[in-house]
Amino acid sequence: PPAGQRATQLFYKEKLPDWYRMYPNHNQNDINGFVIFDHGEHLAVDTGYPNYGNWENTREHNTVAVDGGGQPYGQWHEPWDRFGRIDEFFPAENVFFYLRGQGAGYYREELQLTRFDRNVIMIPDPDNTYFVIYDQLESDQEHSYEWLVHSISAATISDKNARYTIKQNKRAMSVHMLSPQGVHAKNEKLSTRIFPWSAKPDRGGSKLVLSPPAKKYNQDFLAVLTLHAVDETGPTVVKN
């Protein structure tokens, strides 16, 4: 069972019944989030602790925010009440890896989110690894959706071809947003400590926010992430 359910049974219910409560989880609101580390460089990172609590917000992780957040920030809950799950995982070593994460069940009930499937294909390569990320979100309400990537350095924004490049020392990651078209892109400066902990506390960071042009009930995102040397442009990615 996830998140220490057996420990709860042993210590709270059986061994220490006089304890008022034992919370069997230490969840952050980062369901369907990811980090990318390539050739010794942190390209897509997780935020740290700007101050206690903010790091728990959905918008501080590499996932999809719904109306500015969405996952139960600031609310205690048991991990068996709300959780994400990996529905599919298929490894073909040295060829590709596929997984699908299901995250709708972790978002706040009042958002009426019925689907958030994040499909990820990784195509490994010694020099130019690819990720294809296909997100499918459905709701009974209209929402503002934000597709998020955090990095140490701010992304270079090219709205003309919906390409956003993050550079870190000798490596780079280019984000190609193929769908939806017409997304609004912006960088937001972070005053937070970025993982790993070896980083200087005050080095800050950047949040790339990609927002569709209008509120929708259902929203898909199709992005291709390419990793390449910083002095290369990387491949051109187009949608047929």
Side-chain angles (χ1 to χ4, degrees):
Q5 294 182 44
R6 180 54 179 160
T8 301
Q9 182 180 20
L10 286 174
F11 289 99
Y12 172 48
K13 295 182 178 180
E14 297 180 10
K15 303 297 184 181
L16 298 169
D18 55 333
W19 278 35
Y20 172 70
R21 189 175 183 89
M22 177 179 177
Y23 290 104
N25 65 329
H26 187 69
N27 293 341
Q28 294 188 26
N29 294 315
D30 59 354
I31 296 299
N32 274 351
F34 63 89
V35 296
I36 294 179
F37 180 79
D38 177 57
H39 285 73
E41 302 296 345
H42 295 265
L43 298 176
V45 301
D46 210 1
T47 57
Y49 292 79
N51 52 66
Y52 184 77
N54 282 359
W55 52 272
E56 294 177 326
N57 196 314
T58 311
R59 211 169 177 274
E60 303 306 315
H61 301 283
N62 300 325
T63 182
V64 176
V66 180
D67 294 341
Q71 298 178 21
Y73 170 50
Q75 299 177 8
W76 283 106
H77 59 89
E78 307 294 5
W80 46 84
D81 294 331
R82 292 187 176 278
F83 53 87
R85 67 172 70 242
I86 295 178
D87 279 347
E88 299 286 347
F89 176 70
F90 181 81
E93 190 172 357
N94 298 323
V95 180
F96 75 93
F97 298 84
Y98 168 76
L99 67 84
R100 181 176 70 230
Q102 185 184 82
Y106 196 73
Y107 283 70
R108 299 196 311 271
E109 291 181 2
E110 59 266 28
L111 296 174
Q112 298 182 9
L113 198 69
T114 58
R115 183 182 191 184
F116 175 19
D117 289 351
R118 168 157 279 184
N119 303 272
V120 180
I121 296 175
M122 174 186 177
I123 304 173
D125 182 89
D127 298 312
N128 303 105
T129 292
Y130 296 75
F131 294 87
V132 180
I133 301 178
Y134 179 43
D135 295 327
Q136 300 165 286
L137 296 104
E138 298 177 1
S139 176
D140 294 329
Q141 299 178 0
E142 284 188 324
H143 295 296
S144 297
Y145 298 97
E146 294 175 310
W147 201 91
L148 306 167
V149 175
H150 296 79
S151 56
I152 297 171
S153 303
T156 301
I157 294 176
S158 176
D159 285 326
K160 182 178 179 180
N161 55 9
R163 175 172 176 159
Y164 317 97
T165 301
I166 294 166
K167 298 179 179 180
Q168 186 61 31
N169 296 324
K170 296 181 178 181
R171 298 297 292 176
M173 177 178 73
S174 292
V175 178
H176 308 259
M177 183 57 69
L178 303 183
S179 180
Q181 295 183 342
V183 297
H184 173 69
K186 65 177 180 179
N187 284 314
E188 295 182 3
K189 183 176 176 59
L190 301 178
S191 59
T192 177
R193 185 180 302 183
I194 301 288
F195 286 124
W197 287 112
S198 59
K200 294 180 180 179
D202 59 350
R203 72 172 175 180
S206 186
K207 182 199 309 283
L208 175 64
V209 183
L210 302 179
S211 308
K215 288 185 175 183
K216 295 182 68 175
Y217 288 91
N218 306 328
Q219 182 66 65
D220 291 354
F221 293 92
L222 176 60
V224 177
L225 281 55
T226 59
L227 312 184
H228 52 89
V230 73
D231 57 353
E232 298 176 353
T233 59
T236 298
V237 178
V238 296
K239 181 181 179 182
N240 292 330

